[in-house]
């Protein structure tokens, strides 16, 4: 919210596929009266506008739609309950109109219905119902899915439609190409091609014409304009030539048809859009999964002691909430009674669950382990740490520079220039062409439009990206978009999270030493740890797997220290040193020496003893991955600065840094500070890659120039990151950088050839060689040249497959 009555509204955009489209929308919003500030976030598919009344929102939505783009809105009719007169209808309508996110609202007293159009990302039926209830009426609403799911469904539906269109366009264009290239002389060839090409142009390609018209009304042009013009003229010209072939024969010319050019262009462009839509489709799933960390309902204890299941939206500050074993914690709060271990790895990234006792803080989205406790809600809704992470990730995603903006900016001027050349060549032919000048001029104009179709330009980047992404996938590197591939070659600083990135991310027994090398009691150790709730116990159980279970009595878990149990009238203890000291258990100098040595290596030490003496000492740590040291050496050799950030303590951080050869590290770093540190590096002019695996890394990943997630980490980190290392092997990072260099080189070659082709092809198509040697380019040949230019670009991209990315 801004000052006084101003508010920031987010409009979910449709069909805004490029930087060029975003600039058009941004310019359109600047002309809407009442819009005080505006920004188009292309990666988040939304426009953020600051307005001081809801009427302006409706005007902004109308302006965007008039430009040929869409705004995702939901229209609903709800019965209004409790109205008794016309002024009631007016009152209900006014309150709904002033609800943030409402575009239009109308209450009809005669029917008793509210007809409302709203932005599903800003409000929903439940909020509208609350607004209406606040003035004494009610709305009859059915159960609705959440706003995010509504948006997801709309995008999924749109993708499926585009997929169907693309498949049909390819199926129908194929016979046209085959006949046009090889069977032109067969009976009824033109009619058959016309039959197949017509649905491609007018059914599957209609959006190009609709959008081109809307652009034209606002004196603007984009890729749609060029596609509509070239395919439209090629199609109409072909229909004329098919129906009135004698018109050309009388003038000594052959009546060519260009149905294949019209059909193929549309099929190609639709395919390109489908690929683009698929790559972009994952931006909102990160937010969706973050939201999924929060449970939908919680158990609240009412003042009378009764437990009640309530929806998450209805939880208020100071409510007492019960958390049972295995449940997710719903909101941020403070423990009031009970205790349990809580897995906070999704927020902190640290693998060991944390003990929560009375007066300790708990956070939304974390997972309770085996105990049960009650806590008081302190922060709910948008105030929770999880909600803050969601907002920060969304903002960081929205501030990114969009993919392929260079090509679209060029297309922005390329389109009017080409149209200008086509018109100019027609005029010059009419004025200077002599006999049949109008015919030759029209042919030249069509040839210019056909040859200049932006297929080569449009395919230059996506094909190289497709091959690059495919090659990455073969090598265990998942790449989400072109931007990260383009930027990875410029990376000169890599920030690494410790847990799960440099290390394995799970506690393991690294060493075990028995008193006098006598391990005859290991079955008792195994049996106690098997019953223990402590997370480190799992590491011991896994290490001793296969040992027989021994019957125990009087098992007791000692919170914060360990556990004890009896066997054959002897008491055995397992836990920390404090537990042994409190029970006056002696520790031999030999075992103590091992414990001190492991402690200095930042390992966690646990003890096993009987009632008199320590029998064994065990070291547990999160092991450094075997490949991490080699990967760090490779990156240093490439001249990359390396930094390690961790939420762990200074001793552990220092030990890991020394072991791996990293010179810069920071310990005890909170999630939001990771992102701040990356911003500091960026302000120093560095191109920063962030490598992480947890939800706690998601904000830092979204802030960095190139974000890389570990495949064995959290789904959220993988969704936010632009690259994912499937195997979680850090040696893939130098490979990704080499792949980036090769792919960018291919993109540059493709764009160079596409431009050279257009620079040479367009003047020849216009007839520049005619005065010199009488050469005129046939539109049919222009169509073939256009197809050939695309093929050459694709072929060059395929060369990437055979290049090596290993060191």
């Amino acid at each position: 919210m801004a000052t006084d009555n101003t508010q920031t509204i987010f409009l979910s955009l449709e069909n805004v596929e490029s930087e060029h489209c975003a600039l058009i929308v941004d310019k359109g919003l600047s002309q809407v009266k009442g819009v005080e500030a505006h920004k188009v976030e292309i990666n988040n598919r939304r426009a953020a506008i600051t307005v001081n009344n809801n009427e302006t929102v409706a005007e902004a939505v109308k302006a965007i739609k008039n430009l040929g783009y869409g705004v995702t809105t939901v229209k609903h009719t709800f019965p209004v309950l409790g109205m008794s007169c016309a002024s009631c209808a007016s009152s209900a309508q006014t309150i709904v109109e002033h609800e943030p996110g409402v575009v239009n609202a109308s209450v009809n007293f005669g029917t008793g219905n509210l007809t409302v159009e709203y932005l599903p990302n800003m409000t929903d039926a439940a909020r509208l119902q609350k607004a209406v209830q606040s003035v004494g009426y009610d709305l009859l609403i059915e159960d609705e899915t959440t706003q995010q799911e509504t948006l997801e469904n709309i995008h999924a539906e749109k993708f499926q439609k585009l997929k169907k269109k693309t498949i049909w366009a390819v199926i129908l264009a194929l016979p046209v190409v085959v006949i046009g290239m090889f069977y032109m002389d067969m009976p009824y060839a033109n009619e058959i091609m016309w039959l197949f090409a017509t649905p491609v142009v007018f059914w599957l390609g209609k959006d190009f014409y609709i959008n081109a018209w809307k652009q034209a009304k606002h004196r603007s042009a984009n890729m749609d304009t060029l596609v509509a013009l070239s395919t439209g003229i090629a199609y109409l010209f072909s229909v004329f030539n098919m129906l009135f072939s004698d018109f050309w024969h009388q003038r000594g010319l052959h009546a060519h048809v260009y149905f294949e050019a019209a059909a193929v262009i549309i099929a190609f462009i639709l395919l390109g859009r489908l690929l683009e839509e698929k790559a972009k489709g994952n931006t909102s799933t990160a937010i969706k999964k973050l939201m999924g960390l929060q449970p939908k309902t919680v158990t609240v204890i009412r003042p009378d002691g009764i437990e009640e299941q309530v929806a998450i939206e209805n939880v208020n500050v100071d409510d007492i909430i019960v958390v049972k074993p295995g449940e997710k914690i719903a909101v941020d709060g403070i423990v009031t009674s009970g205790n349990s271990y809580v897995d906070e790895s999704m927020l902190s990234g640290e693998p060991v669950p944390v003990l929560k006792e009375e007066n300790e803080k708990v956070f939304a989205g974390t997972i309770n382990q085996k105990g049960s406790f009650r806590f008081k809600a302190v922060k709910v809704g948008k105030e929770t740490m999880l909600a803050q992470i969601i907002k920060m990730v969304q903002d960081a995603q929205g501030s990114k520079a969009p993919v392929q903006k260079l090509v679209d900016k060029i297309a922005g001027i390329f389109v009017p220039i080409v149209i200008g050349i086509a018109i100019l060549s027609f005029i010059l032919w009419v004025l200077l062409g002599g006999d049949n000048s109008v015919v030759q001029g029209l042919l030249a104009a069509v040839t210019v439009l056909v040859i200049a179709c932006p297929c080569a330009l449009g395919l230059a980047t996506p094909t190289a990206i497709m091959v690059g992404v495919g090659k990455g996938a073969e090598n265990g590197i998942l790449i989400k978009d072109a931007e990260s591939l383009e930027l990875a070659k410029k990376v000169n600083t890599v920030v690494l999270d410790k847990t799960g990135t440099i290390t394995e991310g799970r506690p393991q027994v690294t060493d075990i030493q028995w008193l006098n090398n006598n391990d005859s009691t290991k079955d008792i150790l195994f049996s106690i740890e098997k019953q223990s709730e402590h997370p480190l116990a799992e590491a011991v159980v896994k290490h001793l797997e296969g040992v027989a279970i021994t019957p125990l009595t009087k098992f007791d878990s000692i919170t914060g220290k360990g556990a004890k149990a009896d066997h054959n009238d002897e008491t055995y203890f397992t836990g920390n040193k404090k537990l042994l000291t409190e029970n006056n258990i002696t520790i031999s100098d030999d075992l103590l020496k091992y414990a001190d040595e492991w402690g200095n290596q930042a390992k966690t030490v646990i003890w096993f003893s009987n009632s008199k003496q320590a029998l064994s000492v065990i070291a547990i740590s999160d092991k450094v991955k075997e490949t991490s040291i080699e990967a760090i050496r490779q990156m240093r050799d490439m001249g990359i600065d390396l930094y390690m950030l961790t939420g762990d303590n200074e001793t552990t951080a220092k030990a890991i840094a020394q072991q791996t050869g990293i010179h810069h590290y920071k310990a005890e770093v909170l999630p939001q500070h990771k992102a701040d540190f990356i911003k500091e590096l960026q302000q120093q002019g560095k191109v920063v890659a962030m490598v992480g695996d947890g939800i706690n890394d998601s904000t830092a990943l979204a802030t960095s120039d190139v974000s890389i997630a570990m495949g064995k980490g959290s789904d959220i980190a993988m969704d936010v990151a632009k690259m994912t290392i499937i195997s979680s092997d850090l040696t893939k990072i130098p490979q990704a950088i080499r792949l980036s260099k090769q792919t960018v080189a291919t993109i540059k070659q493709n764009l160079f050839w596409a431009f050279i082709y257009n620079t040479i092809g367009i003047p020849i198509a216009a007839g520049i060689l005619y005065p010199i040697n009488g050469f005129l380019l046939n539109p049919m040949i222009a169509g073939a040249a256009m197809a050939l230019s695309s093929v050459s670009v694709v072929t060059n991209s395929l060369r990437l497959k055979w290049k090596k990315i290993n060191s």
Side-chain angles (χ1 to χ4, degrees):
M1 288 281 175
T3 56
D4 301 325
N5 296 325
T6 61
Q7 54 188 351
T8 301
I9 303 286
F10 294 100
L11 307 175
S12 288
L13 301 173
E14 295 172 2
N15 306 323
V16 178
E17 307 293 352
S18 65
E19 176 71 5
H20 183 60
C21 299
L23 289 170
I24 293 169
V25 171
D26 208 41
K27 189 180 172 188
L29 288 171
S30 69
Q31 291 163 4
V32 177
K33 198 177 175 184
V35 173
E36 294 178 12
H38 51 90
K39 182 175 90 167
V40 176
E41 299 176 358
I42 195 164
N43 276 4
N44 279 339
R45 299 181 181 199
R46 69 183 189 183
I49 59 169
T50 305
V51 297
N52 52 23
N53 63 61
N54 263 20
E55 285 149 40
T56 311
V57 177
E59 288 301 314
V61 170
K62 191 176 165 188
I64 293 168
K65 288 183 175 177
N66 286 343
L67 286 166
Y69 302 104
V71 175
T72 304
T73 59
V74 174
K75 282 186 181 176
H76 265 308
T77 300
F78 300 113
V80 184
L81 310 176
M83 290 194 301
S84 57
C85 61
S87 63
C88 297
S90 173
S91 171
Q93 180 173 318
T94 305
I95 195 77
V96 174
E97 280 174 341
H98 284 86
E99 187 68 10
V102 170
V103 179
N104 292 303
S106 160
V107 176
N108 184 322
F109 180 62
T111 60
N113 283 343
L114 159 71
T115 303
V116 61
E117 183 181 8
Y118 61 87
L119 304 166
N121 57 313
M122 291 293 295
T123 189
D124 56 18
R127 286 188 199 172
L128 298 177
Q129 185 184 39
K130 275 187 181 174
V132 172
Q133 285 169 344
S134 71
V135 287
Y137 313 111
D138 201 356
L139 276 191
L140 186 65
I141 61 167
E142 296 168 9
D143 286 342
E144 294 225 356
T145 53
T146 61
Q147 313 161 8
Q148 194 65 28
E149 282 170 353
T150 308
L151 281 172
E152 288 288 324
N153 293 339
I154 290 166
H155 287 311
E157 204 178 310
K158 187 182 162 198
F159 180 76
Q160 287 306 321
K161 276 186 185 171
L162 186 58
K163 192 175 177 182
K164 276 184 189 169
K165 274 188 180 179
T166 308
I167 292 167
W168 274 108
V170 172
I171 290 168
L172 293 170
L174 210 58
V176 185
V177 174
V178 172
I179 296 168
M181 292 293 178
F182 308 109
Y183 300 105
M184 273 303 293
D185 298 327
M186 68 180 266
Y188 303 108
N190 289 355
E191 287 79 359
I192 293 167
M193 287 194 290
W194 171 69
L195 196 67
F196 280 103
T198 301
V200 176
V201 174
F202 290 112
W203 171 44
L204 304 167
K206 70 177 179 185
D207 288 344
F208 295 118
Y209 297 98
I210 293 165
N211 292 338
W213 172 243
K214 285 180 177 176
Q215 293 286 322
K217 282 198 294 187
H218 291 87
R219 295 176 188 173
S220 185
N222 64 3
M223 285 272 198
D224 289 338
T225 313
L226 204 49
V227 174
L229 270 177
S230 59
T231 55
I233 291 176
Y235 178 84
L236 292 173
F237 192 59
S238 301
V239 171
F240 180 84
N241 290 359
M242 179 181 74
L243 298 175
F244 307 105
S245 55
D246 288 348
F247 178 84
W248 300 112
H249 295 156
Q250 288 164 11
R251 287 158 177 76
L253 294 166
H254 186 69
H256 284 294
V257 293
Y258 309 102
F259 290 122
E260 79 285 354
V264 167
I265 290 163
I266 285 172
F268 257 129
I269 303 289
L270 283 173
L271 184 62
R273 293 223 169 145
L274 182 75
L275 298 171
E276 195 178 339
E277 192 72 25
K278 189 166 187 180
K280 283 176 164 182
N282 295 326
T283 38
S284 59
T285 55
I287 306 296
K288 192 180 175 189
K289 282 184 180 170
L290 277 170
M291 287 172 171
L293 284 174
Q294 209 171 31
K296 296 274 189 282
T297 59
V298 294
T299 309
V300 173
I301 302 282
R302 293 302 178 200
D304 55 9
I306 294 171
E307 291 189 7
E308 186 188 340
Q309 286 273 345
V310 301
I312 185 77
E313 302 84 44
N314 299 328
V315 174
N316 298 312
V317 172
D318 292 338
D319 276 354
I320 301 294
I321 296 163
V322 180
V323 183
K324 293 169 185 169
E327 283 187 349
K328 286 176 181 172
I329 292 163
V331 294
D332 293 1
I334 291 175
V335 177
T336 55
S337 65
N339 63 69
S340 180
Y341 284 94
V342 174
D343 180 0
E344 292 189 341
S345 59
M346 61 284 300
L347 294 179
S348 69
E350 300 313 314
V352 181
V354 182
L355 177 65
K356 297 291 179 181
E357 296 178 296
E358 211 168 312
N359 295 324
E360 299 245 11
K361 289 180 180 176
V362 289
F363 301 101
T366 56
I367 301 167
N368 181 29
Q369 301 289 285
K370 296 174 183 175
S372 180
F373 61 91
R374 294 180 180 188
F375 75 95
K376 183 170 77 173
V378 174
K379 289 181 177 176
V380 300
K382 291 181 181 174
E383 300 302 312
T384 65
M385 190 194 277
L386 180 65
Q388 293 298 317
I389 290 175
I390 291 170
K391 187 179 183 303
M392 287 161 87
V393 169
Q394 207 161 20
D395 289 348
Q397 280 184 340
S399 65
K400 288 290 177 190
V403 179
Q404 265 195 325
K405 62 179 182 180
L406 174 70
V407 175
D408 280 302
K409 275 185 176 173
I410 292 161
I413 55 165
F414 181 74
V415 174
I417 288 170
V418 168
I419 295 167
I421 292 169
I423 293 167
L424 184 67
S425 55
F426 178 73
I427 292 167
L428 287 172
W429 270 101
V430 170
L431 296 175
L432 310 170
D435 295 340
N436 294 328
S437 59
V438 175
V439 176
Q440 301 287 23
L442 193 60
L443 279 171
V446 169
T447 309
V448 166
L449 288 167
V450 170
I451 206 165
C453 189
C455 274
L457 202 58
L459 288 168
T461 307
T463 52
I465 295 302
M466 272 181 72
V467 178
V469 167
K471 190 177 176 68
E474 285 169 21
N475 288 276
I477 306 160
L478 292 182
I479 299 156
K480 192 179 277 185
D481 67 14
E483 187 186 4
S484 52
L485 250 188
E486 193 178 337
L487 266 177
K489 72 183 272 289
K490 298 177 186 173
V491 166
N492 51 25
T493 305
V494 173
V495 176
L496 299 156
D497 171 53
K498 176 186 78 72
T499 308
T501 302
I502 295 172
T503 64
E504 294 285 0
R506 56 183 183 271
Q508 290 176 299
V509 172
T510 55
D511 310 273
I512 185 163
Q513 185 62 41
W514 293 88
L515 182 67
N516 304 324
N517 292 322
N518 177 10
D519 67 353
S520 59
T521 50
K522 68 179 176 187
D523 55 336
I524 299 168
L525 169 64
F526 178 73
S527 304
I528 295 173
E529 296 291 33
K530 189 89 175 163
Q531 288 189 44
S532 173
E533 286 182 9
H534 198 285
L536 294 178
E538 287 180 31
V540 178
V541 169
K542 197 166 184 185
H543 183 74
L544 295 174
E545 229 164 14
V547 173
I549 291 180
T550 300
L552 302 171
T553 56
K554 297 183 183 174
F555 175 86
D556 184 20
S557 182
I558 306 158
T559 303
K561 292 170 191 169
K564 67 175 184 175
D566 286 5
H567 176 68
N568 291 345
D569 299 325
E570 173 65 275
T571 302
Y572 291 89
F573 298 85
T574 175
N576 55 25
K577 195 176 178 183
K578 196 176 179 185
L579 179 67
L580 271 63
T581 310
E582 283 177 3
N583 288 281
N584 301 316
I585 293 161
T586 59
I587 302 172
S588 74
D589 291 343
D590 189 34
L591 291 184
L592 209 53
K593 188 182 80 178
Y594 280 107
D596 290 343
E597 186 187 321
W598 295 337
N600 291 334
Q601 292 169 15
K603 294 177 181 178
T604 303
V605 175
I606 62 169
W607 298 86
F608 171 58
S609 75
N610 56 23
S611 58
K612 299 180 191 65
Q613 61 179 355
L615 302 174
S616 172
V617 62
I618 303 147
I620 294 175
S621 85
D622 189 8
K623 275 170 66 177
V624 170
K625 293 176 195 166
E626 289 176 13
T627 53
S628 294
I629 296 166
E630 170 60 20
I632 287 160
R633 184 196 63 75
Q634 278 187 36
M635 285 188 273
R636 281 214 318 269
D637 290 349
M638 291 168 88
I640 293 168
D641 291 337
L642 293 156
Y643 293 81
M644 180 181 78
L645 302 183
T646 177
D648 224 326
N649 60 58
E650 176 72 22
T651 314
T652 306
K654 189 177 179 182
I656 298 289
Q658 285 175 344
Q659 194 181 337
T660 53
I662 292 174
H663 302 310
H664 314 285
Y665 68 90
K666 286 186 91 171
E668 295 172 21
V669 183
L670 292 169
Q672 57 269 39
H673 296 155
K674 288 185 181 181
D676 294 340
F677 180 68
I678 283 169
K679 281 179 190 166
E680 280 172 38
L681 292 173
Q682 288 169 329
Q683 281 160 9
Q684 294 165 26
K686 294 183 175 180
V687 179
V688 183
M690 168 72 196
V691 189
D693 75 316
I695 290 168
N696 64 307
D697 302 318
S698 56
T699 310
L701 286 166
T703 308
S704 64
D705 299 297
V706 177
S707 43
I708 304 168
M710 297 286 106
K712 290 177 183 170
S714 80
D715 288 349
I716 312 301
M718 283 187 270
D719 268 332
V720 173
K722 297 296 174 75
M723 292 189 186
T724 299
I725 309 296
I726 300 170
S727 63
S728 295
D729 175 355
L730 285 183
T731 55
K732 300 292 179 187
I733 296 169
Q735 286 184 20
I737 293 169
R738 287 184 207 104
L739 178 64
S740 164
K741 287 177 178 173
Q742 293 169 6
T743 308
V744 170
T746 305
I747 290 170
K748 284 180 177 173
Q749 289 160 12
N750 285 352
L751 287 172
F752 173 77
W753 287 116
F755 280 114
I756 283 290
Y757 155 78
N758 277 306
T759 311
I760 296 169
I762 291 170
I764 292 173
I768 202 164
L769 296 178
Y770 188 74
I772 302 162
N773 58 11
F775 179 79
L776 269 178
L777 187 64
N778 188 312
M780 181 76 178
I781 306 296
M786 183 274 293
L788 194 65
S789 70
S790 304
V791 172
S792 63
V793 161
V794 175
T795 309
N796 188 46
S797 296
L798 289 170
R799 286 175 54 243
L800 256 178
K801 279 191 174 186
W802 295 285
K803 292 187 177 177
K804 289 185 178 176
I805 59 169
N806 296 321
S807 61

